[in-house]
Amino acid sequence: MLINIKLPNISPEIFQIILWYIYGGKISLEEYDILDIVKIMVAANELNLQELIPYLESFLIENKANWMDQNFNLIYHISFENDSFPKLQKHCKDLISKEPNKIFNLPNFSTIPEKLLITLIQNDNLRMGEIQIWEYVIKWGLAQNPELPSDLTSFSKDDFNTLKNTLQQCIPFIRFHNLASKEFLKKVLPYKKILPKELYKGLLEYFLDNDSKKAVLRISKEYKEIHIDSKIITFQHVELISKWIDRLEIADRLQNSYEFKLLYRDSRDGSSELISRFDKLRMICKNQSRTVIVSKVKGNNEILGGYNPIEWKFDNSYGITKDSFIFSFSND
């Protein structure tokens, strides 16, 4: 009896290479195109050949870094589609944090996802003026809506609303106060209809009142990688949680640096028995304060969690606080 196995995401050519590896135990990557190597890596993950993935990741990073930077959008999408490519994820994070300008200058910059764009414009290591950042954001927003007129003077009210809706998550991270008055007048004012009313009013007051102006610089700081011992959240999540703890807005600069120390991990400290797992959790977390609990929803990428500033007692008593909160992340 023959069994028909369908692998729609793997081409016959790539599958043949995988078969050679399975039966021969070796694979010579020098003879393949870079894109083929990426496809081999994706196929290896789909076929659960986990021992092959680190080798392929290392080869790409050590030998094809320039190509990956030029095709960053593809590598970023593949890396973060799941957690199977940790080395590529780190490569992408390093580029975002240390050399974000490279991504802005990509020929296909306009195709990057919104989440990545927001990460970029929040970055303190950007070596460009705020007006350039604004122009890149506008360029990205227009590219998402190719039906909009090419001439801004031809925009209708609906056209402005379309662009406003596209950029509503990005605009809060633009540091408009870093602009010169002429830059605001020539580059931002024509797009006033996409700005929130309160923001626009505040900017008008700022740029019209010379006495109120003071420089707010985009400070370039040395990048320090934050190591988070978690298989669920990243340092970007930690930064956001830290801001919530300090009651800051997303666009505010984080003033305090918190150390997140792993207390309990279910895969490490738990057991197969549900009750025993809760007992272990109680034992480890008893009398601990300022704790964050995170969990990943089975079957999708949603992350649920909460922050508790007061001690865990587990003695049928309860405490009162106004500083606790719950949260969720959609890890798309």
Side-chain angles (χ1 to χ4, degrees):
M1 182 177 67
L2 295 177
I3 299 176
N4 183 21
I5 300 176
K6 293 184 178 181
L7 299 170
N9 298 323
I10 304 176
S11 69
E13 294 79 12
I14 298 300
F15 188 65
Q16 183 66 51
I17 297 171
I18 293 290
L19 285 178
W20 287 337
Y21 166 74
I22 292 174
Y23 288 108
K26 294 181 180 180
I27 185 170
S28 178
L29 299 177
E30 286 76 8
E31 59 186 275
Y32 299 114
D33 292 336
I34 304 174
L35 192 56
D36 284 339
I37 297 173
V38 174
K39 292 178 181 178
I40 293 170
M41 184 182 66
V42 173
N45 180 56
E46 186 167 341
L47 296 171
N48 203 29
L49 298 173
Q50 298 301 318
E51 76 283 356
L52 182 57
I53 292 175
Y55 171 68
L56 296 170
E57 287 183 294
S58 296
F59 180 86
L60 288 170
I61 292 170
E62 294 170 10
N63 300 283
K64 307 298 179 182
N66 288 336
W67 183 92
M68 289 202 299
D69 292 349
Q70 288 299 314
N71 295 271
F72 181 82
N73 203 13
L74 171 66
I75 299 300
Y76 179 87
H77 175 74
I78 291 173
S79 300
F80 289 93
E81 195 170 21
N82 53 58
D83 294 327
S84 300
F85 309 115
K87 291 184 179 181
L88 288 188
Q89 285 188 2
K90 184 179 184 303
H91 177 83
C92 290
K93 289 177 181 178
D94 284 348
L95 188 66
I96 292 170
S97 299
K98 299 177 183 179
E99 300 180 276
N101 293 56
K102 281 188 176 182
I103 304 172
F104 278 109
N105 294 325
L106 290 174
N108 60 347
F109 160 76
S110 297
T111 64
I112 68 173
E114 179 189 57
K115 181 179 178 181
L116 174 55
L117 177 62
I118 292 174
T119 300
L120 287 171
I121 61 180
Q122 285 183 279
N123 197 317
D124 288 327
N125 285 338
L126 288 178
R127 295 178 178 87
M128 62 176 65
E130 206 70 33
I131 193 60
Q132 291 176 285
I133 297 171
W134 168 252
E135 289 175 330
Y136 274 117
V137 169
I138 292 295
K139 175 184 177 182
W140 182 89
L142 293 173
Q144 311 313 304
N145 302 282
E147 74 281 1
L148 294 178
S150 57
D151 185 358
L152 185 62
T153 59
S154 301
F155 268 43
S156 65
K157 181 179 179 180
D158 288 340
D159 292 334
F160 277 112
N161 284 335
T162 297
L163 186 59
K164 180 179 181 178
N165 291 334
T166 300
L167 297 178
Q168 61 181 335
Q169 301 299 325
C170 301
I171 286 177
F173 298 104
I174 302 295
R175 304 173 193 185
F176 291 102
H177 295 84
N178 287 359
L179 300 175
S181 296
K182 287 185 178 179
E183 291 174 334
F184 176 76
L185 178 65
K186 293 183 177 181
K187 300 292 186 179
V188 178
L189 205 57
Y191 290 95
K192 63 182 180 181
K193 293 182 180 178
I194 73 171
L195 301 177
K197 289 183 179 180
E198 288 301 315
L199 173 62
Y200 176 61
K201 180 182 177 182
L203 290 174
L204 276 183
E205 292 177 356
Y206 176 81
F207 284 104
L208 290 176
D209 183 3
N210 291 324
D211 293 335
S212 70
K213 288 188 181 180
K214 60 181 179 179
V216 183
L217 301 178
R218 179 178 285 270
I219 301 171
S220 178
K221 62 182 180 182
E222 182 181 356
Y223 170 75
K224 294 182 179 179
E225 184 176 355
I226 304 172
H227 175 68
I228 304 299
D229 188 6
S230 174
K231 296 182 178 180
I232 298 178
I233 59 174
T234 65
F235 70 87
Q236 287 97 341
H237 293 128
V238 166
E239 183 178 19
L240 190 54
I241 294 169
S242 299
K243 288 183 179 181
W244 289 336
I245 292 173
D246 288 346
R247 297 179 178 272
L248 298 175
E249 298 294 330
I250 294 177
D252 292 339
R253 185 183 299 277
L254 188 62
Q255 301 296 326
N256 298 312
S257 178
Y258 295 106
E259 179 184 0
F260 282 67
K261 180 181 178 182
L262 180 66
L263 296 176
Y264 176 89
R265 173 180 286 149
D266 194 62
S267 60
R268 182 192 68 183
D269 304 306
S271 67
S272 58
E273 298 294 331
L274 183 61
I275 295 178
S276 298
R277 288 155 67 185
F278 282 124
D279 287 342
K280 188 67 176 291
L281 176 64
R282 291 190 187 101
M283 181 180 70
I284 293 175
C285 295
K286 186 177 181 180
N287 297 325
Q288 296 284 351
S289 61
R290 300 174 66 85
T291 54
V292 175
I293 293 181
V294 293
S295 61
K296 196 170 185 179
V297 179
K298 187 175 182 179
N300 62 45
N301 285 325
E302 186 177 8
I303 297 171
L304 303 177
Y307 169 69
N308 177 28
I310 60 179
E311 292 183 351
W312 292 89
K313 289 297 185 181
F314 303 109
D315 57 1
N316 295 323
S317 64
Y318 64 91
I320 298 176
T321 177
K322 294 182 179 180
D323 296 321
S324 61
F325 55 84
I326 58 176
F327 56 84
S328 69
F329 297 115
S330 178
N331 199 26
D332 297 330

